[in-house]
Amino acid sequence: TSIRSHRIDIPSAESSAQTGRPNACNLCHTDRTLQWTSDHLQSWYDMPPASSLDEEQRGVSAALLWALKGDAVQRVIIADQLGWDAAREVSGDNWQALPLAQLLEDPYAVVRMVAWKSLRKFPPYAEIPYDFIGTPEERAAVRKQVLEIWRAEQKPPAEDLRHLLIDSTGQLDKERWNKLLSERDDTPME
C-alpha cells in the first residue's frame, strides 16, 4: 500500500502538472484528468485554474499518465490506487486492467508486485497465476492473458472514454497508449 502520513497538501492540479506529484483528487478519481481536477477545485473552492496543463494533462486520465509516463514512484503509487476499493467505487472498475497489465512488465519488481495485488481485486483476473520476479517472457505471457480477458469483455461504451485511451468500439487506443508509454521516465531509483 501507499505510505500514508499526517502531511496534508491542498490538492492542486497545477502542482501535479509542474512536479508530477499525484494529488488527492486524482488518487481517488483515477479516471479523471488534471483538467477535471482543476475545474472542480476552481468551482468548489475558488482556486485559480491550472494554467500550465498540456494537451495530455487536459485530455488523459492523470492516473494513466502517471502509470504510463511516470517514474517508478508514480507508477507504484498508481498501481496501488487502481486497486483501492474507494477509488474503484468512484472511478468504475472496467478499465483498470489495462494499466495494471502494463505494470506487470515494469522494470521494477515492487511496481509489478503492487500491480498484481491490485489486479487480483478484479474477479476476472484473481486466479491467474503470476510471479512478479519471474522471467520477462512469463510476465509478458500473463500481461497478454489479462489483455485478452479484458478485450473479450468489452462492448462499445455508452460514454466517451477517450480520456481512458479507450476508443468508440470499447477497445484500447494502441497508438496513443504506445506514444505515452514511449515517454516513460526510466530514471533509475534506489
Side-chain angles (χ1 to χ4, degrees):
T1 61
S2 297
I3 296 172
R4 313 269 190 232
S5 76
H6 292 283
R7 179 176 176 186
I8 300 172
D9 287 337
I10 296 170
S12 167
E14 185 72 32
S15 176
S16 289
Q18 291 178 1
T19 67
R21 187 176 64 224
N23 64 72
C25 298
N26 292 109
L27 288 177
C28 194
H29 295 272
T30 56
D31 61 328
R32 300 300 179 177
T33 66
L34 285 176
Q35 183 66 58
W36 176 91
T37 301
S38 177
D39 293 346
H40 280 76
L41 291 174
Q42 184 180 14
S43 170
W44 295 338
Y45 303 109
D46 202 29
M47 291 181 69
S51 61
S52 66
L53 300 182
D54 63 26
E55 184 179 335
E56 290 170 350
Q57 293 164 330
R58 289 189 307 272
V60 178
S61 152
L64 281 178
L65 293 177
W66 293 319
L68 296 174
K69 292 179 61 167
D71 63 27
V73 173
Q74 291 166 323
R75 295 191 310 263
V76 76
I77 289 170
I78 292 307
D80 179 60
Q81 294 303 118
L82 290 174
W84 184 37
D85 291 339
R88 290 175 50 209
E89 189 174 314
V90 299
S91 301
D93 64 358
N94 59 344
W95 61 274
Q96 293 91 333
L98 291 170
L100 290 171
Q102 183 68 53
L103 295 173
L104 294 178
E105 290 192 89
D106 196 84
Y108 288 91
V110 68
V111 175
R112 297 189 304 262
M113 179 190 69
V114 173
W116 179 242
K117 287 175 112 178
S118 287
L119 188 63
R120 289 179 20 171
K121 294 183 178 186
F122 297 86
Y125 317 104
E127 302 301 321
I128 298 173
Y130 174 75
D131 182 357
F132 69 92
I133 57 172
T135 68
E137 295 79 18
E138 292 168 335
R139 296 191 312 258
V142 173
R143 176 177 176 254
K144 182 179 176 187
Q145 184 179 5
V146 168
L147 292 176
E148 286 172 357
I149 292 169
W150 184 85
R151 280 186 201 107
E153 294 184 342
Q154 296 313 299
K155 300 175 186 110
E159 60 185 287
D160 183 359
L161 298 179
R162 285 180 290 181
H163 62 289
L164 296 174
L165 305 180
I166 297 173
D167 67 21
S168 62
T169 68
Q171 295 302 312
L172 176 65
D173 182 340
K174 291 179 186 176
E175 184 177 330
R176 290 175 67 209
W177 184 276
N178 290 333
K179 178 192 175 295
L180 294 173
L181 187 59
S182 74
E183 298 170 4
R184 183 174 66 196
D185 183 350
D186 281 325
T187 303
M189 298 277 177
E190 293 186 29

